[in-house]
Amino acid sequence: MKLTEIKELLDAEVITGANRLEDDFQEVCSADLMSDVLAFATPGTILVTGLTNVQSVITAHVAEVGAIIYIRGKHPEEDAIKLAKQKNLPLLASPLSMFEACGRLYAKGLKSGSNTPK
Amino acid sequence: MEDEVLFFQEFSIMGKDFSNAGTVSTQIKAILKEIGFDPVIVRRAAIAAYEAEMNVVMYADRGVVRLRVTPHKINIELEDEGQGIEDIELAMQEGYSTATPEMREMGFGAGMGLPNIKRNSDEFEITSERGKGTRLNIVINAR
Ligand SMILES: Nc1ncnc2c1ncn2[C@@H]1O[C@H](COP(=O)(O)OP(=O)(O)O)[C@@H](O)[C@H]1O
Ligand SMILES: [Mg+2]
């Protein structure tokens, strides 16, 4: 699913990465614990999170997460936005809850971007 | 010339310096990518380095990171001065953590760091002396 469609689906605002709205994503991982992302996220996944600090962007960069969606109307902190711009990482902010955001993505056929043992 | 060092750099980390936490690993990632390692290898090295760097920031006073690259291996050595780890076997267990609520709020402190560093390494050594510091030696083989 293209990032532009995901933006519409989640009523999201694009904070950075407006040049990457045509990027296609198949997987989603949701976590507030960055160690979970570092341990289980698959490269290229979308990360849905409520963690808005710079660590969210560093983690995404290190783990090769393709885009971050912040939920519940939270906005990433200034240094997070700055680093995301440098790394050309798309950041979106959605007013939806974690459940609602992930539920909508799941219903559209996106798959788990998390390698946790079944 | 198996062990010819292609690249060496030393970095320093300050304990409790949360605003710069992650900068060393980000640099290491950029260097390894630039050298031209397989992206899977670069990702593993960056993940291991980042968890290890966060541990120095969270639990130690100061540390150094030495990145040594040979044609066959990426070696990341971290040496810190600080409280050290009393029981390494316990610290290596998934879920064991002495992180504070502040650290948890930053997204760390799930007790997954050391096990994940080990999982991403081909060779992994950890030694520690209580009240002195901790040393990690991480080796990732280039394929
Ligand atoms: N460099 C270090 N110096 C002192 N203690 C450490 C260090 N690294 C890890 N520890 C101890 O080991 C525990 C487990 O570490 P880790 O697996 O990374 O989990 P977490 O950082 O989430 O607590 C930490 O909570 C801490 O008590
Ligand atoms: Mg840790």
Side-chain angles (χ1 to χ4, degrees):
Chain A
M1 191 174 199
K2 285 190 172 159
L3 196 56
T4 180
E5 298 168 281
I6 293 171
K7 168 192 178 303
E8 293 304 317
L9 182 70
L10 304 182
D11 305 322
E13 170 196 343
V14 177
I15 299 165
T16 64
N19 59 324
R20 297 201 35 201
L21 290 176
E22 292 302 306
D23 285 19
D24 203 61
F25 292 92
Q26 268 98 49
E27 295 181 336
V28 180
C29 155
S30 67
D32 286 345
L33 278 172
M34 294 302 106
S35 286
D36 279 354
V37 177
L38 293 164
F40 304 122
T42 52
T45 184
I46 284 182
L47 170 64
V48 183
T49 188
L51 191 85
T52 54
N53 62 14
V54 70
Q55 254 63 48
S56 64
V57 173
I58 300 177
T59 300
H61 174 63
V62 164
E64 280 154 30
V65 162
I68 306 180
I69 297 165
Y70 298 96
I71 40 94
R72 250 185 299 116
K74 294 183 185 190
H75 266 240
E77 292 169 12
E78 221 29 72
D79 46 355
I81 296 175
K82 202 174 137 197
L83 186 64
K85 280 182 183 155
Q86 259 177 44
K87 303 292 177 194
N88 194 23
L89 176 77
L91 303 183
L92 278 69
S94 166
L96 304 179
S97 69
M98 179 77 98
F99 175 77
E100 182 72 30
C102 292
R104 288 192 192 181
L105 292 164
Y106 188 91
K108 286 287 178 187
L110 276 96
K111 300 291 178 225
S112 171
S114 181
N115 268 329
T116 33
K118 295 254 154 61
Chain B
M1 294 306 285
E2 279 256 320
D3 297 308
E4 176 201 0
V5 177
L6 299 177
F7 184 92
F8 177 83
Q9 191 170 332
E10 191 169 291
F11 308 84
S12 60
I13 304 173
M14 281 309 294
K16 307 290 168 296
D17 182 9
F18 290 101
S19 59
N20 285 307
T23 49
V24 171
S25 332
T26 314
Q27 285 179 72
I28 289 177
K29 184 174 181 187
I31 291 163
L32 297 176
K33 192 176 164 194
E34 170 88 32
I35 293 175
F37 283 106
D38 177 319
V40 175
I41 302 284
V42 175
R43 183 173 185 266
R44 279 172 52 202
I47 289 174
Y50 185 36
E51 283 284 9
E53 179 181 3
M54 288 308 299
N55 280 353
V56 175
V57 174
M58 292 194 290
Y59 308 112
D61 301 330
R62 68 187 66 79
V64 289
V65 184
R66 294 184 198 96
L67 172 66
R68 212 175 278 108
V69 178
T70 69
H72 301 280
K73 282 178 191 319
I74 298 164
N75 175 209
I76 304 166
E77 184 193 4
L78 293 98
E79 231 171 336
D80 71 49
E81 290 167 40
Q83 65 195 30
I85 301 173
E86 176 141 27
D87 185 342
I88 289 180
E89 210 181 308
L90 186 62
M92 288 300 302
Q93 284 178 18
E94 274 190 22
Y96 176 81
S97 177
T98 60
T100 62
E102 288 81 8
M103 295 169 187
R104 296 225 167 83
E105 264 168 40
M106 292 192 15
F108 286 84
M112 306 279 297
L114 290 172
N116 196 28
I117 295 169
K118 188 173 179 190
R119 187 144 24 99
N120 281 291
S121 308
D122 291 305
E123 293 168 42
F124 173 75
E125 282 164 29
I126 176 167
T127 50
S128 188
E129 202 175 329
R130 199 174 160 219
K132 287 222 162 134
T134 302
R135 179 179 173 273
L136 258 64
N137 197 42
I138 297 164
V139 175
I140 293 165
N141 297 332
R143 275 178 306 194

